[in-house]
Amino acid sequence: GLAGAASATVISEITGGSIPLCFFFLPNSTTLRLGKTHMDTQAILKASTNGASEFLSNAATSLVGMLYNLQLLRYAGTNGVAAYGVIMYVNFIFASIFFGYTMGVSPIVGYHYGAQHTDELKGLLRKSTIMILITSLVLTIFSEVGATFLVRIFVGYDAALTALTVHGFHLYSLSYLTMGYNTFGSGFFTALNNGRISAFLSIMRTLILQLIAIYALPLLLGADGLWLVTTLANTICFFLTIWTLSINREEYQY
């Protein structure tokens, strides 16, 4: 029950924290060592401002989620809210692939940028682009083909709710075609120590574009417009990401 969920959280935190501690405490060939800490106000301030995009993204998700539910109640009723909840569960798993890759590759991007390894930075961007393209296509195809299977895991007990959720997921899953590039683009500029551009891309994708779409699309397409909100926001932000990468190419030499 609930105690099991709490225990799972504790076990995961202990596991995640123990692995790096074992690395530092056991003999290794790297120059990385644990040492005494000291206050570096400038570094903390820079890290906080540079990470503003991630903060804005999480805050925006909460706000947009509330407005999304209000619109769903208006156009699709309580079943619409339930369907949205199921789609968000599945989306969390799929979107985590993009977030996980971005978080994993960001330190490498930052290292090569700081070391002025321009060839490595260019190669990393090119390989990441290809990997995200393949992953985006696989996730989109899997979502479209396996929508019924995925939805029935959560709401297979209700035929009407299942049909509504499957229909909504078919439309929502189109966002995976561009979601990975937008996630990576924002994280890429964070790794380059440019929190301004990263925050711009993040707030456009997760807040401004979605807020406009939440109220505009239902007027044009009814309830179906709500399932396309994320798809439209990611599509527009995809072109913004390409634009920002293009105009900053010379400055960062990637």
Side-chain angles (χ1 to χ4, degrees):
L2 187 60
S7 299
T9 302
V10 173
I11 292 172
S12 67
E13 293 294 340
I14 292 176
T15 303
S18 299
I19 293 174
L21 284 178
C22 290
F23 173 82
F24 284 115
F25 287 138
L26 294 176
N28 62 79
S29 59
T30 71
T31 57
L32 295 174
R33 296 290 183 273
L34 291 176
K36 293 182 178 180
T37 61
H38 65 279
M39 178 62 70
D40 189 339
T41 306
Q42 185 176 0
I44 293 175
L45 180 62
K46 184 63 177 177
S48 299
T49 53
N50 193 37
S53 62
E54 286 72 22
F55 164 75
L56 291 172
S57 179
N58 283 282
T61 299
S62 300
L63 175 61
V64 169
M66 290 187 291
L67 297 177
Y68 217 127
N69 283 329
L70 290 174
Q71 285 291 81
L72 282 168
L73 280 173
R74 179 181 177 185
Y75 286 93
T78 54
N79 271 0
V81 176
Y84 176 68
V86 172
I87 293 173
M88 287 301 99
Y89 277 125
V90 179
N91 175 70
F92 178 78
I93 298 172
F94 289 177
S96 293
I97 297 175
F98 297 127
F99 280 108
Y101 178 77
T102 300
M103 291 175 64
V105 80
S106 290
I108 307 174
V109 172
Y111 170 78
H112 287 309
Y113 171 65
Q116 297 183 347
H117 296 161
T118 56
D119 289 339
E120 293 288 345
L121 198 57
K122 292 177 181 177
L124 192 59
L125 179 60
R126 183 178 64 256
K127 293 174 183 176
S128 295
T129 301
I130 295 173
M131 290 180 63
I132 292 173
L133 173 61
I134 296 173
T135 305
S136 299
L137 291 175
V138 170
L139 288 181
T140 303
I141 293 172
F142 180 74
S143 299
E144 293 293 338
V145 175
T148 302
F149 168 76
L150 293 170
V151 169
R152 282 179 177 171
I153 295 175
F154 299 94
V155 292
Y157 57 85
D158 189 317
L161 181 55
T162 298
L164 175 63
T165 309
V166 169
H167 175 68
F169 191 52
H170 277 308
L171 298 176
Y172 185 95
S173 61
L174 295 174
S175 64
Y176 298 131
L177 290 172
T178 53
M179 182 184 295
Y181 288 107
N182 297 330
T183 303
F184 176 77
S186 179
F188 186 72
F189 281 107
T190 297
L192 295 177
N193 208 24
N194 193 324
R196 179 174 52 84
I197 295 179
S198 179
F200 166 74
L201 293 174
S202 181
I203 198 170
M204 287 297 294
R205 178 174 63 89
T206 61
L207 182 62
I208 296 177
L209 292 174
Q210 292 209 43
L211 285 180
I212 295 173
I214 282 175
Y215 290 101
L217 285 183
L219 296 177
L220 300 173
L221 303 173
D224 281 353
L226 289 170
W227 306 124
L228 290 169
V229 165
T230 303
T231 300
L232 178 63
N234 274 282
T235 301
I236 296 175
C237 191
F238 172 72
F239 293 104
L240 291 177
T241 300
I242 294 177
W243 175 66
T244 53
L245 286 171
S246 299
I247 64 175
N248 290 280
R249 181 180 296 274
E250 293 297 326
E251 178 179 354
Y252 293 103
Q253 296 296 307
Y254 49 74

